[in-house]
Amino acid sequence: MEKEVLDCSLKDFWENKAKNIFWFKKWKKILEWDYPYAKWFVGGKLNASYLCLDQNIKRGLKDKVAIYWQDESGQEQSFTYNQLYKQVNKFAYALKNIGIKKGDIVILYLPMIPQAIISMLAVARIGAIHTVVFSGFSSKSLKDRINDTKAKFLITADVGIRRGRVIPLKDFVDDALNDVSCIEKVVIVKRSNRKINLKENRDLLYDELINNSENYVEPEPVEATHPLYILYTSGTTGKPKGIVHSTGGYLVYVYNTFKNCFGIDEKTVYWCTADIGWVTGHSYVVYAPLMHGITIVMYEGAPNYPDLSVWWKIIEKYNVNIFYTSPTAIRMFMQYDDKYIKKHDLSSLKRLGSVGEVLNPQAWHWFFNKIGKGKCQIIDTWWQTETGGFMMSPTAKDDIEKLKPGSVNFPLDGIYADVVDKNGCSVTLGQKGFLIIKRPWPGIMIGIHNDDEKYKKIYWSKFKGSYYPGDYARKDEDGYFWLLGRADETLNIAGHRIGTAEIEKVAVSNEFIIEAAVAGIPDNIKGDGFVVFAVIRNGFDNKNNLKEQVILNFRNQIGAFVKPKNVYFVNSLPKTRSGKILRRVLRSIVLGESLGDITTLENEACLDEIKDKVSSSVAI
Ligand code: ATP
Ligand code: MG
């Protein structure tokens, strides 16, 4: 990117967006661009907790419900903005009292309970930095993240509850801390009657801290460039990276993208099913919705427990207007009869959102028809932990008729995306290539924690001057963007580069196949060959015939040169704990290689079935 990376109108554009949120002190400079590092709104001061709470109280929203929380047993709790404000202040005071200062890193290892949001906001209130570790992670993954951040403080709960199982989080913490020396204090939210072993001089109970606390803590005005949090990526392509986000640029970005894409108003009831352990949970469960003072729904539990109607029941109960979820969840529901959906009144829904993976056209149509009843826009948002917020997506203004199922529409205003060849030259419309972003934007990460080299190498070395997200894409004749899969998983079959999403789209075009993943393997003649792993609709049998149909679909929809070396029907695919297909693991199994970093693998049990099928199969 050249020295003046933003022209005046783009600077004005972002400056106007920044004016939509409250600053204790106005910035002196909109952007300081020291390639490849961006500092936004330099000189400005603000506080995330103040924006999410104090501001709303000042606007008269004190008695409005901020959070409706429910767990899988139907237990519920709600917090008005005022109640949330009080809890956050008390906890922030307590955190300060136990020695947490501005800039300290605090690990949050908490299930989807209101105290998770309270903790994030309390940490931010005093200018400390949170690192949320998804509570489904093992003690080993927790330990890795503690060691990487060298955090001194940790907040957890005694237990989490999922699918009726009690998950002993505090025991996992104790395990993780056995050979970790940096953690000085652990705060525990006690939820169950289980006895907890409190370690002297280290462990403190949340309730006791709150009960002995003060009602108010002055929010710490932090510099715009001060880190709000460090968060690890999903680990789909390898070892998770500790992404650091700023306070000012990040909050400006998520505030504005949320409003633009979801078109909320003061009455909106919004539910994003993401766990707070992922970036979606940070940007679009907590910060953006609460800054806007809307009502959010928070659910602790799985989508299919106690049965497949639990989500639809929640939408009906709270009259949810905007519902934001993931392709993996959508495809899970598609496997089953829609009787679970039909029982519920979903007429409150106005807009539906998706994030995390390509939303293939079949899943798009299912979501649109079965959940949105043909009247809700599908806001398919492409973005990453690193980008902070939505980058490409339909917006609330877009006509339903103009959306193309499977496409993420266009880059949002202020985002300069392009599709380029390996030399960085724009490809012609309709061609495939590498997605790049040509101008910095306020939500961009400020770095990888403790790893400048990786930051430069991964994102800024492939296409000089541009941000490289690592995804493969196509811009069609009308300028719509289509994500085709991870660039490093793209196959080169007989000279044709084909993204994993293109191949999987063909596999799932068979009505009996719900989800598919492709694993590329070397082919002496064609360069790359591949095998397909497919999950079949519940109850369907006659797999022999289906295999032939799938192969025929490839021939008809792409060409005879794209023939899978095998099609395996499996019950489930290996996924990250954020629900993304781990194709690299499938590939390693097929090639008999070591599986690499599988700390983020959710369902380890599925590997046995896959290994079994692969080892007993005959190539076709
Ligand atoms: P890691 O970087 O550790 O491999 P990850 O990339 O899965 O993990 P995230 O930041 O959670 O970590 O995910 C971002 C990626 O998810 C994007 O780069 C893209 O590949 C995919 N993605 C997200 N949203 C969409 C979408 N709407 N359409 C297509 N792909 C998407
Ligand atoms: Mg990534």
Side-chain angles (χ1 to χ4, degrees):
M1 291 182 203
E2 60 274 21
K3 195 111 193 78
E4 262 314 309
V5 69
L6 302 188
D7 62 22
C8 291
S9 65
L10 200 48
K11 276 190 184 158
D12 287 351
F13 175 82
W14 290 123
E15 174 149 58
N16 283 331
K17 297 289 174 208
K19 287 179 185 160
N20 290 336
I21 65 173
F22 175 85
W23 296 76
F24 292 115
K25 193 169 157 217
K26 202 187 161 197
W27 53 91
K28 290 206 169 79
K29 222 169 159 192
I30 298 163
L31 172 66
E32 229 174 74
W33 177 236
D34 182 9
Y35 175 81
Y37 295 93
K39 287 185 180 161
W40 284 90
F41 310 115
V42 181
K45 287 198 170 184
L46 73 175
N47 181 282
S49 157
Y50 183 87
L51 290 172
C52 293
L53 302 168
D54 311 45
Q55 272 286 97
N56 289 322
I57 308 249
K58 289 198 166 131
R59 281 163 53 203
L61 302 180
K62 119 180 161 0
D63 296 323
K64 179 172 179 177
V65 174
I67 307 174
Y68 284 122
W69 173 84
Q70 184 183 311
D71 73 1
E72 58 184 29
S73 72
Q75 249 198 91
E76 51 190 352
Q77 215 183 343
S78 66
F79 286 80
T80 61
Y81 271 96
N82 198 37
Q83 288 165 331
L84 192 63
Y85 169 83
K86 282 195 174 148
Q87 285 283 312
V88 169
N89 269 284
K90 279 174 184 274
F91 195 40
Y93 182 90
L95 294 180
K96 227 174 167 172
N97 239 0
I98 62 174
I100 303 183
K101 296 186 297 296
K102 180 183 172 192
D104 282 342
I105 298 173
V106 184
I107 302 271
L108 270 51
Y109 183 57
L110 285 160
M112 283 295 278
I113 52 177
Q115 287 83 354
I117 296 184
I118 291 166
S119 300
M120 288 167 80
L121 296 177
V123 168
R125 190 164 189 90
I126 58 175
I129 302 164
H130 55 70
T131 294
V132 181
V133 177
F134 174 54
S135 66
F137 274 132
S138 64
S139 49
K140 157 87 173 67
S141 303
L142 173 63
K143 188 169 96 182
D144 289 349
R145 286 157 178 75
I146 297 171
N147 279 333
D148 194 48
T149 54
K150 306 266 177 311
K152 289 195 276 190
F153 305 93
L154 189 150
I155 304 169
T156 190
D158 55 348
V159 297
I161 294 157
R162 200 164 164 95
R163 294 201 172 88
R165 271 189 324 121
V166 173
I167 301 150
L169 296 177
K170 170 64 165 62
D171 293 353
F172 295 165
V173 169
D174 288 342
D175 266 6
L177 296 189
N178 262 338
D179 44 353
V180 166
S181 54
C182 53
I183 295 284
E184 293 169 9
K185 294 280 177 226
V186 175
V187 178
I188 303 124
V189 179
K190 190 165 163 26
R191 319 175 60 205
S192 74
N193 294 326
R194 279 168 61 108
K195 186 172 162 352
I196 326 179
N197 292 321
L198 292 180
K199 189 164 174 202
E200 241 188 284
N201 296 326
R202 189 195 74 182
D203 293 355
L204 302 156
L205 290 173
Y206 175 93
D207 279 345
E208 281 179 15
L209 291 177
I210 291 270
N211 290 341
N212 297 314
S213 194
E214 295 290 320
N215 284 328
Y216 180 73
V217 173
E218 198 69 40
E220 175 83 36
V222 299
E223 303 74 32
T225 51
H226 181 72
L228 178 60
Y229 64 81
I230 302 170
L231 180 69
Y232 289 82
T233 57
S234 296
T236 313
T237 49
K239 194 171 182 295
K241 303 163 283 266
I243 303 301
V244 190
H245 274 292
S246 71
T247 306
Y250 171 79
L251 292 176
V252 166
Y253 197 67
V254 299
Y255 180 93
N256 287 289
T257 47
F258 185 65
K259 170 103 181 148
N260 182 21
C261 296
F262 282 143
I264 41 124
D265 58 41
E266 68 276 14
K267 294 211 183 81
T268 298
V269 178
Y270 164 83
W271 182 23
C272 168
T273 62
D275 193 280
I276 46 126
W278 312 118
V279 73
T280 309
H282 283 55
S283 302
Y284 300 111
V285 170
V286 181
Y287 288 113
L290 296 184
M291 278 193 288
H292 280 282
I294 63 167
T295 299
I296 67 167
V297 173
M298 185 181 196
Y299 172 59
E300 182 191 15
N304 52 1
Y305 185 89
D307 64 39
L308 285 157
S309 58
V310 57
W311 277 14
W312 321 124
K313 226 185 242 171
I314 292 176
I315 291 178
E316 179 175 7
K317 174 168 164 191
Y318 295 110
N319 282 309
V320 172
N321 309 122
I322 299 173
F323 177 60
Y324 187 29
T325 191
S326 65
T328 191
I330 295 167
R331 292 193 295 254
M332 188 276 292
F333 286 113
M334 285 169 69
Q335 285 182 56
Y336 301 96
D337 198 282
D338 51 10
K339 67 178 185 211
Y340 299 99
I341 302 162
K342 282 188 180 145
K343 282 197 295 202
H344 296 285
D345 177 4
L346 305 183
S347 58
S348 58
L349 289 173
K350 287 190 189 143
R351 222 159 264 129
L352 303 172
S354 170
V355 63
E357 291 184 293
V358 173
L359 182 64
N360 52 292
Q362 293 81 357
W364 194 102
H365 284 293
W366 185 92
F367 200 27
F368 183 70
N369 291 317
K370 303 280 180 190
I371 306 302
K373 315 292 178 197
K375 65 173 179 61
C376 302
Q377 287 159 306
I378 305 279
I379 310 291
D380 182 359
T381 60
W382 175 83
W383 60 296
Q384 309 180 291
T385 310
E386 295 89 333
T387 70
F390 309 152
M391 300 290 282
M392 296 198 280
S393 163
T395 69
K397 300 193 297 289
D398 291 321
D399 282 347
I400 290 184
E401 292 72 34
K402 291 199 177 139
L403 302 178
K404 295 193 187 187
S407 155
V408 294
N409 237 42
F410 310 111
L412 297 176
D413 286 348
I415 300 302
Y416 288 75
D418 198 6
V419 177
V420 297
D421 63 17
K422 64 180 190 321
N423 302 315
C425 303
S426 300
V427 298
T428 45
L429 287 183
Q431 298 296 307
K432 296 179 265 187
F434 303 95
L435 180 66
I436 59 164
I437 312 292
K438 292 160 69 167
R439 298 272 178 271
W441 65 98
I444 189 173
M445 68 187 139
I446 49 177
I448 295 186
H449 185 63
N450 278 342
D451 209 336
D452 273 346
E453 278 321 299
K454 223 178 187 176
Y455 173 73
K456 290 180 194 149
K457 185 161 177 278
I458 298 178
Y459 309 105
W460 301 97
S461 67
K462 195 169 169 81
F463 300 106
K464 187 97 185 94
S466 291
Y467 172 77
Y468 173 53
D471 284 343
Y472 201 56
R474 180 169 71 91
K475 193 170 160 183
D476 73 13
E477 291 69 15
D478 304 319
Y480 285 65
F481 280 72
W482 301 74
L483 271 300
L484 304 176
R486 311 288 174 142
D488 59 359
E489 289 172 344
T490 299
L491 303 174
N492 194 341
I493 305 176
H496 301 270
R497 286 187 70 82
I498 304 183
T500 51
E502 294 175 90
I503 297 183
E504 289 159 5
K505 186 167 123 186
V506 176
V508 298
S509 67
N510 184 300
E511 61 174 318
F512 300 110
I513 295 182
I514 298 299
E515 189 161 52
V518 57
I521 49 175
D523 181 299
N524 287 340
I525 300 162
K526 293 181 181 164
D528 278 333
F530 68 96
V531 298
V532 174
F533 292 84
V535 178
I536 303 176
R537 184 184 293 282
N538 198 32
F540 178 80
D541 221 4
N542 188 7
K543 295 178 186 165
N544 282 335
N545 190 18
L546 193 56
K547 203 176 211 172
E548 283 155 27
Q549 280 176 32
V550 172
I551 295 166
L552 200 63
N553 280 347
F554 279 107
R555 173 190 284 274
N556 294 341
Q557 292 179 38
I558 311 187
F561 69 101
V562 184
K563 182 179 174 191
K565 283 184 188 289
N566 218 330
V567 181
Y568 300 104
F569 296 112
V570 293
N571 289 317
S572 56
L573 297 169
K575 291 188 179 171
T576 63
R577 286 165 206 268
S578 59
K580 295 164 187 235
I581 299 171
L582 277 162
R583 295 175 189 83
R584 63 184 167 88
V585 170
L586 291 171
R587 178 183 153 91
S588 304
I589 293 176
V590 176
L591 297 179
E593 292 172 349
S594 126
L595 300 187
D597 187 316
I598 54 163
T599 48
T600 64
L601 175 66
E602 153 104 59
N603 43 349
E604 215 167 324
C606 81
L607 298 187
D608 292 337
E609 185 203 7
I610 292 166
K611 284 180 188 159
D612 226 41
K613 296 234 157 118
V614 169
S615 63
S616 59
S617 74
V618 198
I620 45 173

